[in-house]
Amino acid sequence: MGRKVYTNYWLNRRDNVVKEHGSYATEEEALRGIKAWWELQKDNYKDVKERRTNSGALEITYGDSNYYYRIVEREFDEELPSLKVKLRSQGEVESLRKKFFLEDEQALFDELAEPYRDRLVEAMGDGKKVQDYIYDQQGRMIRPLKDNK
């Protein structure tokens, strides 16, 4: 039997899109992950509402009712991803920058200021996944690293 985890999903009702954002040990951590994401994106929602669904999920709406988050409790048979990040060496960073032709305003996770790195790990709930993206200098995600060819 697995253990309980709380998974964040972002939903777009208009286009019928569901994106998983990460899984956490507690519902409170999952909610902090959503708020960390908003902070990184410089989103400042005034009309944030939380409601419990009949299935027990926590839904977070923020302004437009077509977009919302849902935190779902589920069983998980594996360990949650580690929140620890092994930063790349300067040589690895330089090599990746050249390989993917990154511009000056684009950054790898390892190049971001520590507060942005901390928020990204909290928002994604995965110390490895954070290194799979290209960011701007303020820690906002631009695109996956593998798509930058």
Side-chain angles (χ1 to χ4, degrees):
M1 180 140 207
R3 56 190 276 213
K4 288 183 184 178
V5 299
Y6 298 85
T7 302
N8 287 348
Y9 296 94
W10 177 81
L11 296 99
N12 175 335
R13 205 176 262 133
R14 182 177 299 138
D15 298 328
N16 200 23
V17 174
V18 177
K19 292 184 180 180
E20 182 177 328
H21 273 241
S23 293
Y24 303 83
T26 67
E27 189 175 68
E28 292 78 22
E29 288 175 11
L31 189 55
R32 282 195 307 267
I34 293 168
K35 291 178 180 179
W37 183 254
W38 288 345
E39 184 179 321
L40 282 164
Q41 301 303 311
K42 308 282 190 256
D43 294 332
N44 188 16
Y45 299 111
K46 305 251 187 273
D47 193 22
V48 176
K49 294 180 183 154
E50 298 176 16
R51 76 172 189 91
R52 189 73 59 185
T53 66
N54 289 340
S55 67
L58 181 63
E59 286 188 351
I60 298 92
T61 58
Y62 53 101
D64 187 339
S65 63
N66 286 303
Y67 309 102
Y68 61 101
Y69 285 88
R70 181 177 289 149
I71 300 173
V72 178
E73 178 184 309
R74 63 188 182 103
E75 293 290 319
F76 196 66
D77 291 330
E78 302 169 25
E79 288 295 315
L80 285 172
S82 173
L83 299 179
K84 295 182 181 175
V85 181
K86 182 180 183 292
L87 294 177
R88 298 173 178 116
S89 70
Q90 187 62 35
E92 290 174 297
V93 168
E94 289 172 11
S95 175
L96 285 171
R97 288 192 67 79
K98 287 178 185 174
K99 178 180 178 182
F100 292 108
F101 304 103
L102 298 186
E103 298 172 12
D104 289 343
E105 60 276 354
Q106 297 174 325
L108 297 170
F109 174 83
D110 315 75
E111 299 174 293
L112 295 171
E114 191 170 346
Y116 296 128
R117 292 193 313 242
D118 292 345
R119 291 316 238 176
L120 282 164
V121 170
E122 184 176 21
M124 291 188 192
D126 188 331
K128 288 186 179 178
K129 187 163 82 172
V130 293
Q131 290 185 314
D132 294 340
Y133 295 89
I134 297 168
Y135 303 93
D136 69 11
Q137 295 297 322
Q138 289 77 43
R140 293 178 295 227
M141 190 182 294
I142 297 173
R143 67 181 163 276
L145 184 61
K146 66 180 182 221
D147 289 350
N148 194 42
K149 293 182 180 177

